[in-house]
């Protein structure tokens, strides 16, 4: 553990902010009150929790910055996070202090008026854990209560820090470190509990989330999202019902998935905690759950009593999930006029492409319409509450091209809700993907275990003439009307970066839009009103707050991990930063360094073609989930084709010896033999000399032709 306090200490604004309890009360009341577009009271000035309120609308009533003033926005300050991997955190702003996280679960506190660092805490996560992170060593932020900041770390700890100093108060282990669990989500505080889940379903884990005592970190309850066996004994009664939806010969050793890696919301009035659960492990349904079954509680929304973890209702978005269609996406609690009466609803736009409106008191499905092209299901039947699946989308026995792709129609990038306009602003992606079942699958603990035939997929991808995968897709900002269940407006972005969104009382929507840009849109009609050239891409959701009468917009910039494939990274570095703007801001945008163009450092190895083929096969099985299809690097991992002479000299020591573990490249000696390591090297050099990367070619298509038309996709 390491804590450092800035030498300068940082000037704090002497703000007479109310304490957290008042924040909670104030924001909860606000959520039920009409929007005041003129003057925000004090409780509205901060960003005290992940979605700003427990209802997670990600709407702030602050209105100093509006369509008339937004052109005067200038940078107020910047802070370099010292990281070059993906940044996904929502900053919290409490009593003038901004708390956020960078990659490797590092936490920092800044003066929210100046950007001056107050403290920084590095939990010193063992770097080998990068092997267990499907989508980068990212972190989506902290929770705050009782003068403490709470963070989940990539190696599975939940840590409480003193908010003034960053010193640990308590730390508890929430997952077994040797198992491929990770924590990337932000904890949530409900009453006297800290709630945290975890991820890892791609590798084969059993999903659960836990509640810890806020004062000492002791476990209060744990809810498993899938059963551990058919017969039990089951840890809690909800699993008895779940076990009925799994065949006896299910692949229990794979853990079955259902991880809770991101979304939660809380309704203080109903006293219900809402949790979204993740995809299956393994994806391939016949391998996982032979003969079918709904497989509860995969891809579900759960409503629970926070004090006991008792399940009150559930809704499964994708019964028998087999396409990586998590329901871990952001949930918003709102009150809507629904056919003449006010309904308390829960809104979610999960990966599967349908926008769900649920009665959050009972779990009744009120509406579900697709917001992107969806080929796995034609519609959702409101009578049964179930999707009407297309038989040809099942891929266990026959290859299938399906929309959306595993990254989803909407991933973790938060959406936002403007209660006055009644619109939800969703970062969406159109995509399609080849699901190819592996004929010789066996569960391999700790490795990628989706049941897909990656060597065959990789081979298919190398034939770019038959382009069948669209990882960047068509990225849009969609304003969705949840009552009419249709798009109110949409904006098409040129590159595949779905940034999180923020809606404000100034009737603006803020979003990172790719190409190194950050923009403000008119929340009513989508007109782009203001653009800032940041230089690197933004995935994280912006927040807003007000100090000494000035409104700020703040966001973390830096890409990598899931959706880490961004055009700008080919040209620029990815030095992470926090940026804050205000009206009349005069600070200088931190520069972005151009990347030197690297040359291939070695001639191809003199090996027979079988060795290169073998290298491709092992690469597809072990390396490509991080290093990318076509070797171009996945986001921020190095482009192996331009590996240096030194890297080639040390190839075996890196791949098998683990000499770059400290950089997040652990040893793979347990799964890659010396001969195979050499074959991978031969494959890499062969590709380096003979082919540009798939992604580069694909981005060329996207940029040159303003994305591939939707009509190209299969139905
Ligand atoms: Ca997943």
């Amino acid at each position: 553990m390491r804590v450092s306090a800035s030498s300068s200490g940082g000037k704090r604004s002497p703000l007479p902010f109310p304490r957290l309890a008042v924040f909670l009360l104030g924001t909860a009341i606000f959520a039920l009150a009409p929007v005041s577009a003129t003057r925000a009271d004090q409780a509205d000035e901060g960003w005290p929790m992940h979605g700003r309120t427990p209802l997670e609308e990600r709407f702030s009533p602050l209105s100093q910055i509006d369509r008339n003033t937004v052109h005067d926005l200038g940078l107020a300050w910047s802070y370099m996070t010292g990281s070059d991997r993906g940044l996904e955190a929502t900053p919290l702003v409490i009593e003038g202090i901004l708390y956020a996280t960078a990659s490797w679960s590092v936490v920092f506190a800044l003066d929210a008026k100046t950007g001056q660092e107050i403290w920084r805490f590095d939990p010193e996560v063992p770097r080998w854990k990068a092997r267990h992170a499907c989508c980068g060593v990212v972190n989506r932020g902290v929770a705050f209560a009782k003068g403490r900041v709470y963070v989940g770390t990539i190696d599975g700890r939940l840590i409480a820090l003193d908010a003034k100093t960053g010193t640990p108060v308590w730390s508890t282990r929430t997952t077994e470190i040797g198992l491929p669990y990770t924590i990337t989500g932000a904890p949530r505080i409900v009453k006297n509990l800290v709630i945290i889940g975890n991820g890892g379903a791609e590798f084969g884990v059993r999903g659960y989330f836990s509640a810890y005592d806020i004062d000492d970190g002791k476990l209060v309850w744990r809810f498993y999202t899938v059963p551990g066996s058919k017969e039990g004994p089951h840890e809690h009664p909800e699993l008895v019902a779940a076990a009925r939806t799994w065949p006896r010969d299910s692949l229990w050793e794979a853990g079955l998935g259902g991880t809770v890696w991101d979304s939660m919301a809380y309704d203080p009035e109903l006293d219900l905690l809402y949790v979204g659960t993740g995809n299956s492990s393994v994806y391939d349904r016949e391998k996982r759950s032979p003969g079918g079954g709904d497989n509860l509680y995969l891809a579900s929304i759960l409503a629970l009593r926070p004090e006991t973890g008792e399940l009150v209702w559930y809704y499964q978005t994708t019964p028998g999930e087999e396409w990586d269609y998590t329901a871990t996406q952001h949930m918003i609690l709102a009150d809507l006029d629904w056919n003449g009466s006010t309904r308390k609803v829960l809104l979610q736009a999960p990966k599967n492409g349908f926008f769900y409106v649920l009665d959050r008191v009972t779990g009744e499905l009120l509406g579900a319409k697709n917001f992107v092209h969806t080929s796995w299901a034609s519609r959702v039947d409101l009578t049964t509450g179930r999707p009407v699946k297309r038989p040809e989308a099942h891929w266990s026995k026959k290859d299938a091209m399906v929309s959306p792709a595993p990254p989803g129609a909407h991933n973790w990038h938060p959406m936002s809700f403007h209660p006055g306009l009644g619109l939800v602003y969703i970062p969406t992606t159109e995509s399609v993907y080849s699901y190819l079942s592996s004929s010789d699958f066996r569960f391999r603990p700790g490795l990628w275990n989706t049941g897909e035939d990656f060597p065959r997929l990789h081979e298919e991808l190398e034939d770019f003439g038959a382009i069948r995968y669209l990882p960047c897709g068509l990225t849009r900002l969609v304003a969705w009307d949840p009552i009419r269940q249709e798009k109110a407006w949409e904006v098409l972005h040129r590159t595949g970066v779905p940034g999180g969104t923020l809606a404000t009382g100034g009737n603006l929507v803020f979003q990172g839009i790719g190409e190194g840009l950050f923009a403000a849109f008119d929340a009513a009609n989508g007109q782009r009103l203001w653009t800032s050239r940041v230089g690197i891409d933004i995935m994280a959701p912006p927040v807003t707050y007000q100090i000494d009468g000035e409104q700020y917009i703040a966001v973390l910039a830096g890409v990598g991990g899931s959706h880490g494939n961004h055009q700008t990274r080919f040209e620029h570095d990815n030095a992470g930063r926090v940026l804050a703007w205000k009206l009349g801001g005069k600070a200088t945008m931190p520069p972005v360094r151009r990347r030197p163009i690297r040359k291939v450092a070695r001639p191809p190895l003199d090996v027979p073609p079988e060795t290169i083929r073998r290298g491709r096969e092992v690469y597809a099985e072990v390396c490509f989930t991080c290093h990318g299809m076509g070797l171009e690097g996945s986001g921020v991992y190095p482009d192996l084709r331009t590996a240096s002479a030194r890297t080639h000299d040390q190839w075996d020591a890196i791949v098998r010896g683990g000499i770059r573990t400290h950089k997040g490249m652990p040893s793979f000696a347990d799964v890659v033999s010396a001969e195979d390591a050499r074959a991978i090297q031969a494959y890499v050099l062969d590709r380096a000399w003979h082919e540009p990367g798939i992604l580069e070619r694909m981005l060329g298509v996207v940029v040159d032709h303003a994305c591939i038309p939707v009509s190209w996709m299969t139905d």
Side-chain angles (χ1 to χ4, degrees):
M1 308 253 180
R2 189 168 64 228
V3 182
S4 65
S6 305
S7 47
S8 60
K11 184 176 149 284
R12 295 194 202 184
S13 316
L15 282 181
F17 264 53
R19 302 189 86 78
L20 185 71
V22 183
F23 264 103
L24 277 164
L25 187 65
T27 49
I29 289 168
F30 165 74
L32 303 171
V35 183
S36 156
T38 50
R39 188 180 169 280
D41 66 25
Q42 274 185 345
D44 295 328
E45 294 199 341
W47 196 281
M49 58 190 78
H50 194 64
R52 206 186 76 83
T53 77
L55 312 179
E56 304 250 342
E57 310 101 319
R58 289 182 176 270
F59 170 83
S60 165
L62 294 176
S63 58
Q64 186 180 82
I65 302 164
D66 64 14
R67 67 166 298 134
N68 297 319
T69 59
V70 68
H71 62 271
D72 196 30
L73 265 188
L75 194 70
W77 55 261
S78 62
Y79 169 78
M80 300 306 287
T81 59
S83 58
D84 64 358
R85 294 196 175 212
L87 296 179
E88 301 186 353
T90 298
L92 303 191
V93 183
I94 295 144
E95 298 188 24
I97 314 287
L98 182 149
Y99 304 92
T101 56
S103 40
W104 297 110
S105 326
V106 167
V107 189
F108 52 88
L110 312 177
D111 183 323
K113 196 177 158 78
T114 64
Q116 185 81 47
E117 182 181 291
I118 297 166
W119 55 258
R120 190 176 167 91
F121 169 75
D122 184 349
E124 297 182 346
V125 172
R127 269 26 184 184
W128 63 263
K129 269 306 265 189
R131 256 185 81 165
H132 292 162
C134 74
C135 311
V137 288
V138 295
N139 187 283
R140 284 183 286 278
V142 298
F144 182 99
K146 293 192 158 188
R148 293 180 198 147
V149 172
Y150 306 83
V151 65
T153 65
I154 199 86
D155 60 336
R157 287 170 287 160
L158 179 66
I159 303 175
L161 304 170
D162 185 309
K164 286 203 162 54
T165 62
T167 314
V169 178
W170 55 255
S171 172
T172 188
R173 175 150 287 292
T174 79
T175 64
E176 209 176 300
I177 192 163
L179 297 178
Y181 287 103
T182 50
I183 298 179
T184 56
R188 305 297 204 282
I189 310 286
V190 178
K191 298 179 172 179
N192 226 30
L193 300 170
V194 191
I195 320 281
I196 190 74
N198 48 58
E202 273 64 38
F203 298 86
V205 297
R206 184 181 178 201
Y208 65 83
F209 57 104
S210 318
Y212 293 90
D213 188 294
I214 202 168
D215 292 319
D216 55 17
K218 290 230 160 49
L219 181 68
V220 177
W221 54 256
R222 175 163 290 172
F223 189 100
Y224 288 92
T225 59
V226 289
S229 66
K230 181 74 178 172
E231 305 80 13
H234 299 294
E235 289 87 349
H236 44 87
E238 292 85 351
L239 291 172
V240 179
R244 292 190 202 112
T245 67
W246 292 88
R248 192 166 303 278
D249 55 350
S250 294
L251 196 61
W252 305 103
E253 64 175 329
L256 306 179
T259 49
V260 177
W261 52 263
D262 195 46
S263 179
M264 298 183 207
Y266 175 62
D267 184 329
E269 197 184 316
L270 296 172
D271 193 29
L272 284 176
L273 167 69
Y274 304 95
V275 171
T277 74
N279 58 272
S280 55
S281 175
V282 302
Y283 299 173
D284 186 332
R285 193 176 176 189
E286 283 303 313
K287 294 182 175 75
R288 175 186 83 247
S289 177
D294 281 355
N295 300 169
L296 291 171
Y297 302 95
L298 295 179
S300 300
I301 296 164
L302 311 177
L304 308 104
R305 289 283 165 226
E307 264 149 25
T308 58
E310 177 200 353
L311 186 66
V312 176
W313 60 256
Y314 73 89
Y315 176 79
Q316 190 174 36
T317 58
T318 312
E321 194 289 303
E322 60 183 295
W323 304 278
D324 192 16
Y325 288 167
T326 63
T328 45
Q329 279 57 51
H330 180 194
M331 295 177 289
I332 291 174
L333 311 183
D335 294 352
L336 295 183
D337 284 327
W338 194 269
N339 295 333
S341 63
T342 302
R343 297 290 284 261
K344 292 181 180 303
V345 302
L346 180 153
L347 308 174
Q348 194 192 46
K351 276 191 185 180
N352 76 16
F354 287 89
F355 189 100
Y356 294 86
V357 183
L358 297 169
D359 182 314
R360 72 173 181 271
V361 183
T362 62
E364 181 196 350
L365 179 68
L366 300 177
K369 282 275 164 61
N370 60 315
F371 59 93
V372 296
H373 180 77
T374 55
S375 77
W376 71 279
S378 54
R379 65 192 173 88
V380 177
D381 186 322
L382 291 185
T383 316
T384 62
R386 298 175 67 89
V388 179
K389 292 189 198 174
R390 292 175 194 263
E392 61 271 29
H394 295 299
W395 57 281
S396 291
K397 290 173 181 152
K398 187 169 176 286
D399 298 345
M401 268 243 290
V402 182
S403 303
H410 169 220
N411 204 301
W412 62 268
H413 317 77
M415 55 190 197
S416 55
F417 175 63
H418 191 303
L421 295 169
L423 296 177
V424 181
Y425 305 96
I426 321 167
T428 73
T429 304
E430 295 275 0
S431 57
V432 64
Y433 181 72
S434 269
Y435 290 85
L436 311 179
S437 181
S438 166
S439 54
D440 61 351
F441 171 79
R442 68 195 154 81
F443 179 70
R444 294 180 301 170
L447 287 182
W448 200 270
N449 280 295
T450 61
E452 290 174 88
D453 190 339
F454 282 141
R456 199 151 59 89
L457 180 68
H458 204 77
E459 205 172 334
E460 191 176 276
L461 289 167
E462 287 192 346
D463 180 10
F464 188 67
I467 173 177
R468 301 187 71 185
Y469 180 76
L470 202 56
C472 72
L474 304 153
T475 300
R476 293 186 171 99
L477 170 60
V478 168
W480 186 262
D481 184 330
I483 294 174
R484 298 168 67 95
Q485 299 196 73
E486 60 183 30
K487 287 175 189 175
W489 53 260
E490 66 177 356
V491 176
L492 180 66
H493 300 328
R494 285 184 74 229
T495 56
V497 189
T501 71
L502 160 72
T504 72
N507 293 332
L508 300 175
V509 176
F510 289 86
Q511 188 192 30
I513 60 170
E515 302 176 272
L517 303 177
F518 183 62
F521 299 88
D522 186 317
N525 59 28
Q527 187 191 350
R528 200 209 287 187
L529 300 171
W530 171 84
T531 308
S532 176
R533 186 164 292 280
V534 170
I536 61 172
D537 283 342
I538 294 169
M539 311 185 291
V543 300
T544 187
Y545 55 92
Q546 191 157 298
I547 296 177
D548 296 343
E550 290 183 302
Q551 185 185 354
Y552 294 76
I553 307 287
V555 72
L556 277 67
V559 293
S562 179
H563 292 88
N565 299 311
H566 304 314
Q567 183 198 0
T568 51
R569 79 181 164 75
F570 290 121
E571 298 150 13
H572 303 298
D573 69 2
N574 189 43
R577 58 204 65 188
V578 187
L579 302 167
W581 292 263
K582 65 176 182 178
L583 296 181
K586 295 277 188 286
T588 308
M589 188 63 70
V592 177
R593 281 168 305 166
R594 283 194 90 79
R595 278 182 203 240
I597 296 166
R598 294 219 283 173
K599 297 224 163 49
V600 183
R602 281 278 187 281
L605 297 184
D606 184 17
V607 294
E610 307 88 80
T611 306
I612 293 169
R613 273 201 296 278
R614 173 66 188 163
R616 180 173 71 187
E617 197 174 292
V618 182
Y619 178 87
E621 278 178 355
V622 181
C623 316
F624 104 110
T625 50
C626 285
H627 284 282
M629 287 168 280
L631 297 166
E632 65 284 294
S634 171
V636 292
Y637 305 109
D639 183 332
L640 294 178
R641 293 165 305 159
T642 56
S644 66
R646 187 177 158 79
T647 295
H648 281 291
D649 290 345
Q650 299 181 325
W651 193 269
D652 192 73
I654 295 167
V655 175
R656 293 166 32 81
I659 61 167
R660 291 198 185 160
T661 302
H662 63 286
K663 290 187 159 183
M665 168 61 197
S667 162
F668 284 82
D670 55 327
V671 285
V672 177
S673 68
E675 202 183 334
D676 281 349
R678 179 84 173 154
I680 295 169
Q681 187 177 20
Y683 166 63
V684 165
L685 283 169
D686 181 68
R687 287 300 306 257
W689 280 93
H690 298 119
E691 289 276 355
I694 290 165
L695 191 73
E696 282 160 339
R697 283 174 289 164
M698 198 167 277
L699 282 168
V701 171
V702 171
V703 173
D704 292 349
H705 305 290
C707 290
I708 296 151
V710 180
S711 58
W712 166 80
M713 294 182 199
T714 61
D715 204 39

